[in-house]
Amino acid sequence: MDTSGWIYDLGWEAYPHLREEENALDMLSRSLPPEHPDFLRRKRSVGKAYGDAGLLREAKSILGEVLRVQEEVQGIAHPDTLDTQEALAEIASDLGDGDGAVSIMQSVLVTQSGTSAFTQVEIENTRMHLAEIYDRFARFTEAIEEYQRALGRLSELLGATHRGTLSCLDNLGICFTHAGRYPEAIEAF
């Protein structure tokens, strides 16, 4: 998909970060083939920039293109491929597609768990991202279960006072608040 014309219609001044990403991609396209990992990472950045600008359908399209090439060239378990899947989950969530976002994040979590390329901390961070999506779509029971599981593992791996563990605890408290479980929220905070 050629996205070069979209930004001109929107006005560069409204999206300076997007312009920078588009320019960087343009420069890379002159020296790298479209299946090169660096080109794909930059194109993913362009897709994310479109999402940040609120151009969600365009972001989804760009990220979908990147994902198709990454799966073919790098494989489904490659960290870059999984990063693109996470970006697509974020866009799906922003578009209001909770089931789609959850499905993507569950797939990422299963893939990460099935390979030695990822640390347990990375896996638990993905679990927290899945819990955030559950929380956003008022699937509180599932969100709390995932936060609690991540909190337990992060406490073991990093310690109870590590900022990653404390961040998970904070997110769990926020989720308890969203679920109307105030005594548990107070305890978490």
Side-chain angles (χ1 to χ4, degrees):
M1 167 184 285
D2 177 23
T3 60
S4 58
W6 296 351
I7 196 66
Y8 294 108
D9 296 337
L10 300 170
W12 282 114
E13 55 283 340
Y15 305 101
H17 178 66
L18 187 50
R19 180 181 185 177
E20 292 169 12
E21 292 294 341
E22 285 272 354
N23 286 341
L25 182 64
D26 183 53
M27 288 174 54
L28 274 179
S29 71
R30 297 175 196 168
S31 60
L32 295 175
E35 66 277 355
H36 191 280
D38 290 339
F39 181 84
L40 292 168
R41 278 190 289 274
R42 178 56 63 185
K43 191 168 182 178
R44 178 179 61 226
S45 292
V46 168
K48 290 171 78 172
Y50 271 88
D52 291 344
L55 304 167
L56 302 176
R57 299 212 184 284
E58 293 85 350
K60 181 178 178 182
S61 177
I62 293 166
L63 292 169
E65 289 175 17
V66 171
L67 182 62
R68 281 187 289 282
V69 176
Q70 285 175 324
E71 286 177 341
E72 183 179 312
V73 174
Q74 296 172 306
I76 61 169
H78 191 279
D80 284 348
T81 306
L82 295 173
D83 284 348
T84 302
Q85 284 184 306
E86 285 198 52
L88 270 169
E90 199 69 33
I91 296 299
S93 177
D94 290 346
L95 284 167
D97 181 10
D99 290 338
V102 163
S103 177
I104 293 168
M105 286 309 300
Q106 286 173 332
S107 174
V108 170
L109 189 58
V110 166
T111 302
Q112 283 181 335
S113 299
T115 180
S116 61
F118 298 91
T119 67
Q120 277 303 131
V121 172
E122 290 171 318
I123 293 168
E124 297 314 317
N125 284 333
T126 299
R127 186 179 312 286
M128 284 195 306
H129 192 182
L130 172 61
E132 289 168 10
I133 293 170
Y134 281 136
D135 185 16
R136 181 173 183 188
F137 290 93
R139 294 171 64 172
F140 302 124
T141 300
E142 294 155 302
I144 290 166
E145 287 173 4
E146 294 298 344
Y147 277 131
Q148 288 175 329
R149 188 168 176 193
L151 180 61
R153 289 294 292 141
L154 290 172
S155 293
E156 291 172 18
L157 295 164
L158 303 173
T161 59
H162 187 277
R163 66 186 174 114
T165 306
L166 294 174
S167 175
C168 185
L169 182 60
D170 186 51
N171 289 340
L172 176 60
I174 291 167
C175 186
F176 278 135
T177 301
H178 293 160
R181 294 168 58 174
Y182 302 113
E184 292 161 295
I186 291 169
E187 195 174 303
F189 293 123

